[in-house]
């Protein structure tokens, strides 16, 4: 674990894997430090920003983190209904060497966890994708991916909360309410949550 | 006598082109709904951009939600104090003046930020100003700087989103930019306007000399402190509430690899592949995949909020 300075009131914690990211995030979250303003996990880092003077208590918690073992948590489980009819379903099936129905079966058989959010409000990067569905992005990104699209890219799968440009391979769509700034909580998926997909028609 | 610690400047720079545009997606804010029934102001005209802003919605970056909020927070806080509001009340952030409002009910307003002609029914007035129903407030173009702040007694009272009324132009969260005929509901005043004899406008320096704490990714650059000290930049006209883009000396990276996306703070100086720094402001994305060479401390951010395109920029790297 390396701590990198990030201005006067923040520290960027760098680790070697998504598992270690989750260990750091869960430990700092569990400590419920009153001065922590933002706790932002990403692929290999956790950004922690505080009110002035709050970094000392963060450093003390970081000294106690066991990167091998996640803090005991009771993750929320969220089920997302998906219609598997995405424009890249055949491409993903062909790349995986299976039929389109098997793509849906594989995608719904795994249990995922939210590694981190970013890119857009409520956009959750889910890990736990079966190996054959771990595929590259499109050569040329779409200028507009419709809201609710479900896609895969690298080791991640995700659902687009709103229409944005994007280069993920799209395998389906959901009408789950992924993000609504007037709702509490605004985002359906938060770091640490467990997620499953369910095929609907 | 009450004065503020801010001083004035008569420096003038060329009128800028500022490319601030709202995102193309739909916005949900019905400007006339919510708030305290009875007290309001009506927007008659806006200049290039007028937004509802408060101190933003920090604490949601893990959901991909930017902090947003007023770029020149000391100016909004001061305006709120002048009209008797709590400092965090929602007011208006007005880019390059041009705002024209009508008071539908009696209210007190204060205009802060750079020196901006302020007229009531066509007559120049000094803040804070008491408006009677039907009075019209007009802001001219600031002589320096970019962003003027308007506080209204009781504060703007639209429905908050994630705890704030701030308009986030990156994510489309919060009320839409103001348009003619918008009716802005005001809350109930909770304090007494403080009054002021002389209100000095925000100092807008002719040249920005920006302190910068190195890290978290200064090790991606050859001799980062020297590169930063010796480089010369100017504020690009592609700057907006997301970030201040700089043109000038490219910073050269010592590494060629890819950096996995990581969390960003406001004030982070990110260096994309072309080497030209971007200083992230309140509507910044929550994560980014280019190295951040250093972070501008919070105290210097209000100066960035007021820097017109073309303003000369130097960095003063520390540590």
């Amino acid at each position: 674990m390396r701590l990198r300075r990030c201005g006067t009131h923040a520290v960027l914690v760098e680790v070697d894997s998504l598992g270690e990211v989750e260990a750091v995030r869960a430990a700092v979250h569990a400590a419920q430090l009153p001065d922590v303003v933002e706790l932002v996990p990403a692929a290999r880092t956790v950004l922690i920003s505080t009110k002035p003077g709050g970094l000392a208590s963060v450093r003390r918690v970081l000294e106690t983190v066991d990167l091998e073992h996640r803090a005991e948590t009771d993750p929320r489980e969220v089920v997302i209904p998906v219609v598997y009819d995405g424009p890249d379903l055949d491409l993903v099936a062909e790349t995986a060497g299976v039929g389109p129905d098997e793509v849906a079966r594989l995608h719904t058989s795994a249990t995922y966890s939210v590694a981190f959010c970013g890119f857009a409000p409520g956009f959750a990067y889910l890990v736990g994708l079966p190996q054959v569905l771990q595929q590259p992005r499109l050569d040329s990104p779409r200028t507009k991916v419709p809201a609710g699209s479900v896609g895969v890219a690298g080791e991640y799968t995700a659902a687009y909360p709103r229409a944005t440009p994007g280069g993920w391979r799209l395998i389906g769509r959901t009408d789950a309410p992924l993000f609504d700034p007037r709702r509490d909580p605004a985002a359906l998926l938060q770091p640490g949550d467990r997620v499953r997909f369910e095929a609907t028609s | 006598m009450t004065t503020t610690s801010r001083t004035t400047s008569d420096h003038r720079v060329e009128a800028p082109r500022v490319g601030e545009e709202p995102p193309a997606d739909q916005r949900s804010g019905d400007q006339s709904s919510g708030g305290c029934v009875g007290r309001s102001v009506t927007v008659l005209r806006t200049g290039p951009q007028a937004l509802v802003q408060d101190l933003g919605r920090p604490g949601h970056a893990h959901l991909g939600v930017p902090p947003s909020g007023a770029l020149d927070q000391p100016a909004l806080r001061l305006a709120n104090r002048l009209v008797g509001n709590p400092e965090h009340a929602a007011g208006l952030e007005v880019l390059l003046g041009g705002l024209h409002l009508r008071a539908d009910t009696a209210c007190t307003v204060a205009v802060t930020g750079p020196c901006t002609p302020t007229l009531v029914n066509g007559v120049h007035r000094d803040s804070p100003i008491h408006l009677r129903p039907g009075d019209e407030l007009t802001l001219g173009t600031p002589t320096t700087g970019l962003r003027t702040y308007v506080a209204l007694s009781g504060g703007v009272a639209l429905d908050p989103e994630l705890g704030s009324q701030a308009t986030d132009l990156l994510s489309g969260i919060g009320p839409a930019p103001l348009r003619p005929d918008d009716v802005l509901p005001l809350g109930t005043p909770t304090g007494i306007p403080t009054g002021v004899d002389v209100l000095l406008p925000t100092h807008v320096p002719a040249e920005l000399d920006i302190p910068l704490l190195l890290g978290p990714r200064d090790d991606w650059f050859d001799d980062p402190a020297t590169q930063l000290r010796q480089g010369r930049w100017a504020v690009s006209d592609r700057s907006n509430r997301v970030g201040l883009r700089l043109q000038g000396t490219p910073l050269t990276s010592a590494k060629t690899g890819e950096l996995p996306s990581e969390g960003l703070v406001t004030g982070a100086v990110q260096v994309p592949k072309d080497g030209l720094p971007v200083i992230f402001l309140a509507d910044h994305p929550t994560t980014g995949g280019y190295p951040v060479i250093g972070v501008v401390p919070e105290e210097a951010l209000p100066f960035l909020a007021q820097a017109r395109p073309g303003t000369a920029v130097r960095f003063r790297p520390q540590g």
Side-chain angles (χ1 to χ4, degrees):
Chain A
M1 187 193 308
R2 290 164 299 283
L3 304 192
R4 290 174 173 271
R5 184 172 70 178
C6 194
T8 40
H9 307 313
V11 62
L12 187 72
V13 183
E14 190 175 29
V15 291
D16 294 325
S17 68
L18 275 172
E20 293 185 0
V21 166
E22 176 56 14
V24 171
R25 185 205 68 82
V28 176
H29 182 75
Q32 292 289 314
L33 300 174
D35 288 339
V36 169
V37 178
E38 304 278 14
L39 174 60
V40 191
R44 292 293 178 271
T45 56
V46 180
L47 173 70
I48 305 155
S49 76
T50 69
K51 296 175 189 166
L55 278 183
S57 54
V58 169
R59 286 177 194 276
R60 278 195 294 276
V61 171
L62 291 174
E63 281 165 15
T64 69
V65 174
D66 179 358
L67 292 176
E68 305 296 315
H69 299 96
R70 232 171 251 183
E72 283 298 316
T73 53
D74 188 12
R76 295 191 317 152
E77 266 211 37
V78 182
V79 177
I80 296 179
V82 177
V83 181
Y84 286 92
D85 63 355
D88 304 319
L89 185 64
D90 290 341
L91 172 65
V92 170
E94 194 182 313
T95 309
V98 299
D101 289 352
E102 181 65 4
V103 171
R105 198 196 64 75
L106 285 166
H107 196 250
T108 52
S109 66
T111 300
Y112 303 88
S113 63
V114 179
F116 51 90
C117 298
F119 176 62
F123 189 101
Y125 290 77
L126 306 177
V127 291
L129 193 62
Q131 193 73 40
V132 295
L133 299 185
Q134 298 191 11
Q135 299 185 7
R137 288 158 193 258
L138 298 173
D139 292 337
S140 172
R142 291 184 169 87
T143 53
K144 190 173 183 182
V145 173
S149 297
V150 175
V152 296
E155 64 180 309
Y156 305 111
T157 184
Y160 284 71
R162 62 191 183 115
T164 48
W168 292 36
R169 295 185 177 191
L170 306 180
I171 58 174
R173 60 194 154 90
T174 180
D175 57 5
L178 296 161
F179 186 79
D180 177 355
R182 297 190 170 215
R183 192 183 57 196
D184 187 22
L188 182 65
L189 304 177
Q190 309 203 15
D193 287 352
R194 293 279 175 277
V195 181
R196 284 189 306 107
F197 294 99
E198 206 172 69
T200 59
S201 47
Chain B
M1 183 173 102
T2 310
T3 62
T4 73
S5 62
R6 305 187 129 199
T7 54
T8 190
S9 160
D10 61 1
H11 174 75
R12 282 165 186 271
V13 292
E14 286 295 302
R17 290 190 296 120
V18 177
E20 302 210 41
E21 288 182 9
D25 67 338
Q26 72 290 350
R27 286 177 175 273
S28 55
D30 173 359
Q31 307 279 356
S32 60
S33 73
C36 171
V37 177
R39 303 187 75 242
S40 65
V41 293
T42 299
V43 177
L44 301 177
R45 185 166 55 82
T46 71
Q49 184 184 79
L51 305 173
V52 176
Q53 291 295 344
D54 53 21
L55 300 183
R57 50 180 73 79
H60 301 95
H62 62 293
L63 305 178
V65 175
S68 194
L71 293 195
D72 187 344
Q73 297 213 348
L76 177 65
R77 290 173 189 268
L78 172 63
N80 273 323
R81 291 199 302 274
L82 289 170
V83 300
N85 287 347
E87 288 190 333
H88 63 260
L92 306 179
E93 179 179 278
V94 181
L95 182 73
L96 288 168
L99 182 70
H100 191 169
L101 296 176
R102 185 183 62 230
D104 303 319
T105 44
C107 61
T108 305
V109 301
V111 177
T112 61
C115 186
T116 305
T118 303
L119 296 87
V120 174
N121 303 331
V123 178
H124 278 270
R125 297 282 298 275
D126 292 323
S127 288
I129 309 162
H130 183 71
L131 299 181
R132 293 160 305 181
D135 280 352
E136 293 185 8
L137 173 79
T138 307
L139 300 187
T141 306
T143 51
T144 65
L146 288 178
R147 292 179 171 91
T148 306
Y149 291 83
V150 180
L152 304 129
S153 56
V156 175
L158 295 164
D159 291 335
E161 297 187 8
L162 290 139
S164 162
Q165 296 177 55
T167 299
D168 173 349
L169 292 178
L170 179 75
S171 306
I173 299 173
L178 299 187
R179 285 178 304 237
D181 301 327
D182 281 346
V183 176
L184 291 173
L186 303 179
T188 306
T190 53
I192 298 165
T194 53
V196 62
D197 295 322
V198 179
L199 181 63
L200 295 172
T202 298
H203 171 57
V204 179
E207 182 176 317
L208 285 176
D209 185 9
I210 304 173
L212 188 70
L213 274 167
L214 291 179
R217 297 290 176 186
D218 50 319
D219 57 346
W220 275 58
F221 299 86
D222 303 308
D223 198 357
T226 305
Q227 283 201 61
L228 286 162
R229 232 188 329 267
Q230 294 180 348
R232 294 292 180 271
W233 295 272
V235 175
S236 157
D237 61 4
R238 291 167 58 229
S239 302
N240 55 27
R241 284 184 45 87
V242 174
L244 206 68
R245 292 174 180 277
L246 303 183
Q247 51 202 25
T249 315
L251 296 169
T252 55
S253 173
K255 297 195 186 185
T256 52
E258 294 274 320
L259 182 70
S261 286
E262 57 193 26
L264 292 169
V265 295
T266 305
V269 179
Q270 193 190 57
V271 184
K273 286 229 164 69
D274 65 6
L276 296 177
V278 179
I279 311 175
F280 280 118
L281 304 179
D283 288 358
H284 66 81
T286 55
T287 58
Y290 295 111
V292 169
I293 192 170
V295 176
V296 178
E298 209 172 290
E299 308 82 74
L301 296 176
F303 295 106
L304 307 184
Q306 300 296 355
R308 289 188 174 186
T311 302
V313 172
R314 305 170 61 159
F315 284 111
R316 197 154 23 91
Q318 297 164 3

